[in-house]
Amino acid sequence: MRRVLLPAIALLCLALPACGTSTDKAASGTCPDGKVRFGIEPYEDPAKLKPAYDVLAKALQAKLNCPVELQVVDDYSAEVLAMRNGKLEIAQFGPLGFVFASDKANAQAVASFADVNGKLTTYTAGIWVPNDSPIHSVADLRGKSLALSSPSSTSGGALPRYALKQANVNEKDVKLDYAGGHPEALLALKNGKADAAEINSQTMATAVKEKSFDPSKFRSIWTSAPIPNDPITVRGDTDPALQKAVKDALLQLGPNDVAQVGAFLDVTPPGPLVSVTKETYQPLFDLANALGLTEHDV
């Protein structure tokens, strides 16, 4: 996944007349305070994300028989803080963001996005340059500018920095420019504002589909190992009945319920969501440890 784009916040309360908030539901803990709150980061333009997550949230609401309030938060830090302070029961994090959300907000990974064969989907980070660039390897980035997404991004921050480390390139010898998001990093390269840029496979797929980027004019000098797609999490200190209900509901959603969100994550066509755990994302915990990252770095 791809991290924060715009410092904007949108709040959508999806209260369908058919959705009940019965006394039994509230008493069982599966509909605390008459609703559950679902947070996401604006890893794409919120105006584009909102309609896609509306569909998912409405389907989840119907399965839970409890109103789902969708919150597009300012950024990763705001999402972690909201969950830690009991303001979110459910949240979707990027893989690296989950590493710290699991520790700081007790986020428990329960589901992620799968293909039509029921296999957990992945994406890759990449570093791209123009075809006529003298840069042919990560080592050649010394003295050059590299557009990244944001410090909190797995593919747009941590992994390209790890690539520099593996190539024995000191970050101080590269002009790192955090563009504010994956599309912005791509535009920096496209418009000649950077010598190189991170472009992950999800952003590339969207840009090619929208015909806003011609990959034939550029080439990749580095590609990461596959990264497991974003986990949807539930707060670990909520009622166990709610945690089970949320997981069961997410895993019962159909492909059409998640297709629009899946399109942003390069999951086309999608299958139903699949179960994930903290162990699924162990490589990201290892990455954070290798780079000495803390929550202050993301």
Side-chain angles (χ1 to χ4, degrees):
M1 195 190 204
R2 325 86 45 245
R3 298 296 61 146
V4 67
L5 277 182
L6 300 177
I9 182 165
L11 175 64
L12 175 66
C13 183
L14 302 169
L16 299 181
C19 288
T21 55
S22 68
T23 301
D24 288 345
K25 276 281 183 183
S28 71
T30 59
C31 194
D33 299 321
K35 63 183 178 183
V36 294
R37 296 159 296 184
F38 183 4
I40 60 170
E41 300 171 45
Y43 59 86
E44 277 284 354
D45 183 347
K48 295 180 179 180
L49 287 180
K50 179 179 172 292
Y53 278 91
D54 284 353
V55 175
L56 191 157
K58 287 178 181 178
L60 178 61
Q61 177 171 281
K63 295 291 184 183
L64 287 173
N65 191 26
C66 177
V68 172
E69 182 180 273
L70 182 67
Q71 299 182 23
V72 185
V73 300
D74 283 345
D75 53 27
Y76 158 78
S77 297
E79 188 175 23
V80 171
L81 185 63
M83 179 168 266
R84 183 171 65 189
N85 290 342
K87 304 297 184 181
L88 293 174
E89 286 73 42
I90 310 169
Q92 180 178 326
F93 290 100
L96 184 62
F98 167 65
V99 170
F100 300 106
S102 68
D103 178 46
K104 300 300 177 181
N106 198 12
Q108 306 292 314
V110 293
S112 188
F113 299 84
D115 62 22
V116 291
N117 296 315
K119 182 180 178 181
L120 175 65
T121 55
T122 61
Y123 64 106
T124 56
I127 297 177
W128 288 69
V129 298
N131 277 337
D132 60 359
S133 171
I135 301 171
H136 293 278
S137 68
V138 174
D140 292 337
L141 288 170
R142 290 185 180 91
K144 307 296 184 180
S145 59
L146 173 61
L148 301 178
S149 172
S150 70
S152 66
S153 174
T154 307
S155 59
L159 281 169
R161 289 174 56 204
Y162 190 53
L164 293 175
K165 181 181 178 70
Q166 289 181 311
N168 295 315
V169 177
N170 192 313
E171 288 186 19
K172 294 180 180 180
D173 294 332
V174 181
K175 182 183 177 183
L176 300 181
D177 178 20
Y178 288 104
H182 296 285
E184 285 80 2
L186 182 150
L187 283 175
L189 179 65
K190 178 182 175 181
N191 296 334
K193 302 297 184 182
D195 297 313
E198 69 82 14
I199 306 176
N200 73 19
S201 58
Q202 296 168 333
T203 301
M204 177 66 75
T206 298
V208 170
K209 182 179 180 181
E210 295 176 349
K211 298 182 179 180
S212 61
F213 186 76
D214 182 357
S216 69
K217 297 180 179 180
F218 301 86
R219 54 185 167 79
S220 173
I221 64 165
W222 171 82
T223 303
S224 74
I227 309 161
N229 230 322
D230 292 11
I232 298 177
T233 72
V234 62
R235 200 175 77 241
D237 63 355
T238 56
D239 191 309
L242 174 63
Q243 295 182 46
K244 183 179 186 304
V246 168
K247 180 174 182 177
D248 290 347
L250 287 169
L251 297 180
Q252 290 169 13
L253 297 181
N256 290 338
D257 299 327
V258 301
Q260 291 189 39
V261 172
F264 286 110
L265 303 175
D266 195 22
V267 184
T268 305
L273 299 181
V274 292
S275 177
V276 293
T277 66
K278 180 178 179 178
E279 286 67 33
T280 306
Y281 299 90
Q282 186 59 47
L284 284 309
F285 285 82
D286 297 339
L287 173 65
N289 183 62
L291 289 175
L293 299 178
T294 71
E295 71 275 10
H296 302 297
D297 296 308
V298 297

